[in-house]
Amino acid sequence: QSALTQPASVSGSPGQSITISCTGASSDIGGYDFVSWYQQFPGEAPRVVIYNVSKRPLGVSNRFSGSKSGNTASLTISGLQAEDEGDYYCSSFTSTSTLYVFGSGTKVTVL
Amino acid sequence: QVQLQESGPGLLKPSETLSLTCTVSSDFTNNYYWSWVRQPAGKGLEWLGRIYNSGNTNYNPSLKGRITMSVDTPNNQFSLKLRFLTAADSAVYFCARIGLADAFDVWGQGTMVTVSS
């Protein structure tokens, strides 16, 4: 069982905005700003799209944005495009001995 | 841009030991943690452990002492050993760099490992 809870699936039409939630605890998301989000396509490695809660790596579209409130982090994809379809995972550093936890993953479908 | 490449056997038997190596193209001597993450087929990501250039390690306690990581700085490599394999260890294994704000910012392409008799 994953330590961070995400919805199994989220869908939207092209051009719309969608938000994926990631709920943890005070020992991880609530306690640190070390929250990151990963995009993964079938058969490929994950790619970081957000780090440090809301920062975008070079080369990542500004349609991706991140935020955090309490023990819940969120990833918003604006202006949804067909190329955004894939799986998305959140991750956080944690004060427990596990150190890093991932979310259960969310499948994004573009209708 | 730094690149990572995993190598190792793809098929092992229960109770055997998995040995994987990750070769780093550059920046290996800089101050980063290097990590292993695995993903069973159709499932989510699981962090296995991390190692610093100095050799300091941290492991996921869920692996119950079966894991060992090491570094080979002259060859720009770090390695994973996972003992007493079971079918539950079958997964794609990724090596990754831990960068700013503890994000996994560079990943290898992954290598599939199957444990079967």
Side-chain angles (χ1 to χ4, degrees), chain A residues 11-36:
Chain A
S11 61
S13 299
Q16 286 186 329
S17 293
I18 61 169
T19 296
I20 303 168
S21 62
C22 172
T23 301
S26 57
S27 57
D28 40 66
I29 292 176
Y32 304 93
D33 283 341
F34 299 149
V35 177
S36 48

Side-chain angles (χ1 to χ4, degrees), chain B residues 52-73:
Chain B
Y52 198 61
N53 296 83
S54 62
N56 288 345
T57 55
N58 300 96
Y59 301 132
N60 190 325
S62 70
L63 297 171
K64 299 188 174 108
R66 297 190 294 130
I67 183 173
T68 303
M69 294 178 63
S70 59
V71 290
D72 179 1
T73 302

Side-chain angles (χ1 to χ4, degrees), chain A residues 35 48-57 64 66, chain B residues 100-101:
Chain A
V35 177
V48 60
V49 293
I50 292 289
Y51 69 99
N52 210 181
V53 175
S54 59
K55 293 184 169 64
R56 272 189 314 276
F64 291 87
Chain B
L100 288 174

Side-chain angles (χ1 to χ4, degrees), chain A residues 31-90:
Chain A
Y32 304 93
D33 283 341
F34 299 149
V35 177
S36 48
W37 288 89
Y38 302 87
Q39 175 190 61
Q40 186 181 34
F41 300 125
E44 297 186 9
R47 174 181 80 129
V48 60
V49 293
I50 292 289
Y51 69 99
N52 210 181
V53 175
S54 59
K55 293 184 169 64
R56 272 189 314 276
L58 285 174
V60 173
S61 170
N62 59 10
R63 298 185 297 105
F64 291 87
S65 61
S67 62
K68 186 186 88 165
S69 177
N71 296 340
T72 298
S74 298
L75 173 72
T76 298
I77 308 175
S78 306
L80 198 62
Q81 298 180 3
E83 67 197 45
D84 300 327
E85 198 165 271
D87 296 321
Y88 290 80
Y89 295 91
C90 59

Side-chain angles (χ1 to χ4, degrees), chain A residues 2 33-36 38 40 43-48 50-52 89 91 93 97-104, chain B residues 33 35 37 39 43-47 50 58-61 94 98 100-110:
Chain A
S2 300
D33 283 341
F34 299 149
V35 177
S36 48
Y38 302 87
Q40 186 181 34
E44 297 186 9
R47 174 181 80 129
V48 60
I50 292 289
Y51 69 99
N52 210 181
Y89 295 91
S91 177
F93 179 83
S97 54
T98 305
L99 284 192
Y100 300 95
V101 288
F102 285 96
S104 44
Chain B
Y33 276 103
S35 191
V37 176
Q39 184 173 37
K43 296 189 177 180
L45 302 165
E46 179 186 22
W47 175 74
R50 71 177 185 180
N58 300 96
Y59 301 132
N60 190 325
F94 297 99
I98 301 176
L100 288 174
D102 279 283
F104 300 89
D105 63 349
V106 184
W107 294 70
Q109 65 185 29

